[in-house]
């Protein structure tokens, strides 16, 4: 009887050791896989930050160029507005009310220039940079990859447990 108990105890201990070894091996695999994902994610993030920085610099240069062109285009409107305002004030000084239409035109020219600058600013600032950087996998996508790993392969049950089944 004691001999049988010793054999069973040995089988149980071997089974427990096998389960522990399988668990530790799988835990080490998960650790390496997760570490690999983490390093890949860190690398992708670093690349994305560099790409976003470069894209933002390009956007800044683009906005500067667009604003310069808009300012040049608006320069003539501002010049016309200044001349019309001076003429309108002179007309009103000579004959009150005779320069009101000219002053209204000066205001319209200033609005055109301001609207051009505002629309250029809004258009330039709303450039979508999302397509210029790598899309990183979401946390759920990473979790699904880890969850797709096969379960731990356990060693066969001890002989005395198989005999009962």
């Amino acid at each position: 009887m004691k001999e049988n108990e010793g054999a069973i105890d040995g089988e149980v201990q071997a089974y427990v050791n096998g389960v522990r070894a399988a668990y530790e091996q799988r835990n080490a695999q998960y650790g390496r896989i997760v570490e690999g994902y983490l390093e890949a994610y860190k690398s992708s993030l670093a690349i994305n930050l560099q790409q976003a920085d470069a894209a933002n610099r390009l956007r800044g240069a683009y906005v500067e160029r667009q604003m310069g062109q808009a300012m040049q285009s608006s320069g003539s409107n501002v010049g016309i507005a200044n001349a019309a305002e001076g003429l309108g004030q002179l007309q009103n000084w000579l004959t009150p009310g005779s320069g009101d239409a000219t002053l209204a035109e000066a205001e319209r020219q200033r609005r055109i220039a301001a609207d051009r600058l505002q629309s250029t600013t809004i258009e330039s600032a709303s450039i979508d940079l999302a397509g210029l950087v790598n899309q990183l996998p979401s946390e759920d996508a990473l979790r699904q990859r880890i969850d797709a790993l096969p379960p731990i392969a356990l060693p066969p049950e001890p002989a005395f447990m198989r005999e009962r089944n």
Side-chain angles (χ1 to χ4, degrees), residues 120-137:
T120 300
T121 302
I122 291 169
E123 179 184 310
S124 298
S126 63
I127 297 170
D128 183 21
L129 299 176
L132 301 176
V133 295
N134 294 327
Q135 298 299 314
L136 296 174

Side-chain angles (χ1 to χ4, degrees), residues 3-13 158 160:
E3 210 175 282
N4 197 17
E5 281 180 23
I8 290 174
D9 189 41
E11 283 184 46
V12 168
Q13 202 56 38
F160 74 91

Side-chain angles (χ1 to χ4, degrees), residues 6-7 24 67 74 77-78 80 84-85 93 95-96 123-124 140 146:
E24 288 172 1
M67 290 302 290
S74 297
N77 294 95
V78 171
I80 291 170
E85 185 174 24
W93 181 70
T95 310
E123 179 184 310
S124 298
D140 288 337
I146 292 170

Side-chain angles (χ1 to χ4, degrees), residues 21-134:
Y23 171 79
E24 288 172 1
Q25 181 181 15
R26 181 49 57 107
N27 198 28
Q29 285 176 332
Y30 279 143
R32 286 191 304 275
I33 290 168
V34 169
E35 188 63 33
Y37 285 152
L38 183 60
E39 289 303 315
Y41 201 81
K42 284 179 184 177
S43 297
S44 294
L45 184 61
I47 290 170
N48 276 2
L49 290 174
Q50 289 175 348
Q51 288 174 329
D53 184 48
N56 279 327
R57 284 195 308 274
L58 285 173
R59 178 182 11 204
Y62 176 75
V63 168
E64 272 185 47
R65 186 177 61 87
Q66 292 298 97
M67 290 302 290
Q69 288 178 346
M71 294 283 279
Q72 271 184 330
S73 298
S74 297
S76 59
N77 294 95
V78 171
I80 291 170
N82 289 340
E85 185 174 24
L87 182 61
Q89 287 175 352
L90 178 65
Q91 288 172 329
N92 277 344
W93 181 70
L94 294 173
T95 310
S98 64
D100 290 348
T102 308
L103 290 172
E105 179 60 22
E107 184 58 35
R108 187 178 82 79
Q109 290 296 323
R110 282 197 176 91
R111 256 194 324 274
I112 290 171
D115 289 347
R116 184 179 292 131
L117 288 174
Q118 183 178 14
S119 68
T120 300
T121 302
I122 291 169
E123 179 184 310
S124 298
S126 63
I127 297 170
D128 183 21
L129 299 176
L132 301 176
V133 295
N134 294 327

